[in-house]
Amino acid sequence: MSRRRVAEQLLEVLMSSVNSNLVPPELGWELFGYFVEDELWHGKGFRVLLKACRICEPEKTQRALRGEFR
């Protein structure tokens, strides 16, 4: 699975989470910046997305990384 597809699934995990309030505001703003710049699927943007997802939905994040989300 391509990194872009994984990033899309991780973004879906994050946006659908009832625990998104656990993500610190600074991390959320940083993630937003990468989203606006269309840079979520590589480098630091991907790592920030992954970190945010692991904070609020660790189990769903692992499923998404394995390609099992949905």
Side-chain angles (χ1 to χ4, degrees), residues 5-45:
R5 181 66 184 132
V6 172
E8 289 171 356
Q9 288 185 344
L10 289 173
L11 188 57
E12 189 172 330
V13 165
L14 183 63
M15 298 308 293
S16 66
S17 175
V18 296
N19 301 318
S20 59
N21 62 317
L22 299 175
V23 176
E26 302 82 23
L27 186 61
W29 282 110
E30 186 177 4
L31 183 63
F32 176 72
Y34 287 114
F35 177 78
V36 168
E37 296 296 322
D38 205 24
E39 297 289 327
L40 285 181
W41 60 87
H42 48 84
K44 184 147 181 178

Side-chain angles (χ1 to χ4, degrees), residues 40-52:
L40 285 181
W41 60 87
H42 48 84
K44 184 147 181 178
F46 186 82
R47 288 190 300 272
V48 169
L49 175 59
L50 188 57
K51 182 177 181 178

